Amino acid sequence: MGLFGGNKENYKDKKSIIIYFSRADENYFGGSMKYIEKGNTEVIAEYIQDILGADMFKVEPLEPYSADYMQCIEEAKVRTRNHNAPIKEEIPDISSYDVIYVGSPVYWGGMPEELFTALKGLDYTGKIIRPFVTHEGSGLSSIPNQLKDICTGGEVTNGLAISGSTVNSAKSKVENWI
């Protein structure tokens, strides 16, 4: 039995979309910097898509972040402080989906501002929201609570937190969570 009374198959039988934000380039891993060609959250999103056959939508900033990690951090701080993070494309109509997987890296204990921009104002009535995050020590942090605030009318269920440095070997964790 899952946390909210359903079993794993219930999620597999529902029409799902994966909405996520992910950043490649220079990233922080357990005390050191490393260049990655695909963002950690995107790796997890692709696992979910492979397991469920779900639709997928990547939230991308209108103005890309710097490839340099330290510069990216400063850019993200400004966007978060100003609550200003325009995105390239709006999320498609979610009315036909039962389950919405929301993927995010953890930025200072929460979601990147681009996800707020993308998710606000949608109708989540009757939807199941399943958060998944990549992090380097902060777990889910405040992201489930942020989603509860944004996704009014939906049910935010148990989330999944994967350390960014382990994403390439985490598919079985994702399968167990789904």
Side-chain angles (χ1 to χ4, degrees):
M1 287 295 246
L3 183 62
F4 293 91
N7 62 37
K8 294 176 186 178
E9 294 307 312
N10 287 347
Y11 293 119
K12 289 182 179 179
D13 294 339
K14 296 183 181 300
K15 186 170 181 188
S16 302
I17 186 170
I18 305 155
I19 299 169
Y20 71 97
F21 176 92
S22 192
R23 181 185 164 276
D25 299 322
E26 190 177 49
N27 267 254
Y28 175 81
F29 291 95
S32 62
M33 302 295 179
K34 178 181 171 186
Y35 180 84
I36 57 174
E37 290 187 29
K38 183 182 291 187
N40 297 322
T41 307
E42 187 165 4
V43 171
I44 302 302
E46 289 176 350
Y47 291 157
I48 295 169
Q49 183 182 45
D50 185 50
I51 295 163
L52 295 175
D55 293 334
M56 195 155 61
F57 181 83
K58 183 177 183 178
V59 174
E60 297 186 70
L62 187 60
E63 171 98 14
Y65 283 103
S66 171
D68 176 85
Y69 181 78
M70 296 311 288
Q71 182 63 37
C72 170
I73 293 288
E74 293 308 312
E75 293 165 357
K77 282 181 185 177
V78 169
R79 293 177 193 189
T80 299
R81 183 174 48 247
N82 297 335
H83 299 293
N84 183 16
I87 56 177
K88 283 185 181 179
E89 188 180 345
E90 299 297 316
I91 292 175
D93 179 17
I94 62 167
S95 61
S96 67
Y97 296 101
D98 302 309
V99 182
I100 302 169
Y101 290 85
V102 178
S104 177
V106 178
Y107 282 11
W108 306 287
M111 296 186 301
E113 197 64 30
E114 287 79 4
L115 275 172
F116 285 99
T117 300
L119 295 170
K120 68 183 174 191
L122 301 176
D123 182 5
Y124 297 97
T125 304
K127 309 285 183 209
I128 297 166
I129 316 300
R130 300 201 71 203
F132 64 97
V133 305
T134 55
H135 66 94
E136 281 304 312
S138 54
L140 287 163
S141 214
S142 67
I143 290 176
N145 288 331
Q146 290 175 324
L147 289 172
K148 286 175 186 173
D149 289 343
I150 292 173
C151 303
T152 54
E155 177 188 358
V156 178
T157 64
N158 55 324
L160 175 69
I162 302 281
S163 171
S165 57
T166 67
V167 296
N168 293 320
S169 62
K171 189 169 185 181
S172 63
K173 273 188 178 179
V174 174
E175 285 177 314
N176 289 335
W177 173 65
I178 290 174

